[in-house]
């Protein structure tokens, strides 16, 4: 599973050794926060693929990792099976126009991007959890007394 680290200036997609190998990348994907134009949640990242892997790995329906090139656009893709994910549209990034990731933590990423975070990178799941307000205690429900009926 992909790890997402966020600090006050950048979002880092941390790749495991296997992910780096399948994506043909030597390092992680680093995105300046100012380059993030839009973040969308998706039920299936496969619907967002455009172009062909170059370089990358594609096993239909199972895995898509690496750089996808299409006419005038390069996307970084990290998709496993048909699972929920996140699509990050970029503006002004020197390498990619879009990042497509399969992750269970898409909502946490969206919430964390709305926060003013510290200079030290932290996992987006932890950031979103810290920002959630305490749940309000529920009031006990009382039933209204039924009026007595004459028989």
């Amino acid at each position: 599973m992909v790890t997402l680290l966020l600090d006050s200036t950048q979002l880092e997609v941390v790749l495991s050794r296997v992910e780096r190998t399948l994506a043909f990348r030597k390092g992680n994907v680093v995105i300046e926060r100012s380059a993030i134009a839009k973040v969308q949640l998706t039920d299936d990242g496969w619907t967002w693929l455009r172009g062909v892997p170059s370089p990358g790995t594609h096993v239909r329906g199972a895995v898509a990792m690496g750089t996808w090139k299409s006419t005038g656009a390069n996307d970084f893709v990290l998709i496993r099976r048909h699972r929920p994910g996140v699509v990050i549209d970029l503006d002004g990034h020197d390498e990619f126009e879009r990042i497509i990731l399969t992750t269970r933590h898409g909502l946490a990423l969206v919430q964390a991007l709305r926060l003013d975070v510290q200079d030290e990178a932290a996992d987006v799941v932890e950031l979103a959890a810290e920002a959630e307000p305490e749940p309000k205690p529920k009031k006990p429900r009382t039933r209204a007394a039924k009026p007595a009926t004459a028989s």
Side-chain angles (χ1 to χ4, degrees):
M1 178 188 324
V2 67
T3 301
L4 303 171
L5 299 178
L6 182 68
D7 66 20
S8 62
T9 60
Q10 67 185 17
L11 170 66
E12 184 174 2
V13 180
V14 180
L15 305 175
S16 68
R17 180 176 291 158
V18 172
E19 291 167 339
R20 282 194 307 265
T21 301
L22 293 175
F24 294 92
R25 286 192 65 88
K26 292 182 180 179
N28 298 330
V29 178
V30 178
I31 305 160
E32 295 295 322
R33 284 184 77 164
S34 61
I36 298 173
K38 182 170 51 170
V39 179
Q40 302 174 71
L41 301 177
T42 181
D43 288 332
D44 189 0
W46 292 95
T47 59
W48 290 87
L49 279 181
R50 59 184 180 185
V52 295
S54 179
T57 301
H58 180 227
V59 177
R60 188 178 177 143
V63 68
M65 293 186 188
T67 301
W68 252 242
K69 292 188 179 189
S70 63
T71 305
N74 288 338
D75 299 341
F76 180 76
V77 175
L78 195 66
I79 301 174
R80 289 186 184 93
R81 308 234 180 257
H82 293 277
R83 295 185 178 151
V86 65
V87 179
I88 305 169
D89 289 318
L90 305 174
D91 186 22
H93 192 266
D94 57 344
E95 193 174 5
F96 302 113
E97 282 76 34
R98 183 184 288 165
I99 309 289
I100 306 167
L101 306 169
T102 300
T103 179
R104 294 184 304 223
H105 306 298
L107 185 58
L109 173 63
V110 172
Q111 292 171 340
L113 284 170
R114 292 180 181 169
L115 302 173
D116 291 328
V117 296
Q118 300 173 9
D119 292 335
E120 187 176 311
D123 192 331
V124 296
V125 177
E126 294 170 7
L127 289 171
E130 290 173 4
E132 288 182 9
E134 290 291 322
K136 293 180 182 177
K138 293 183 179 180
K139 294 181 182 178
R141 297 198 314 177
T142 57
R143 292 187 177 185
K146 291 184 180 179
T149 56
S151 342

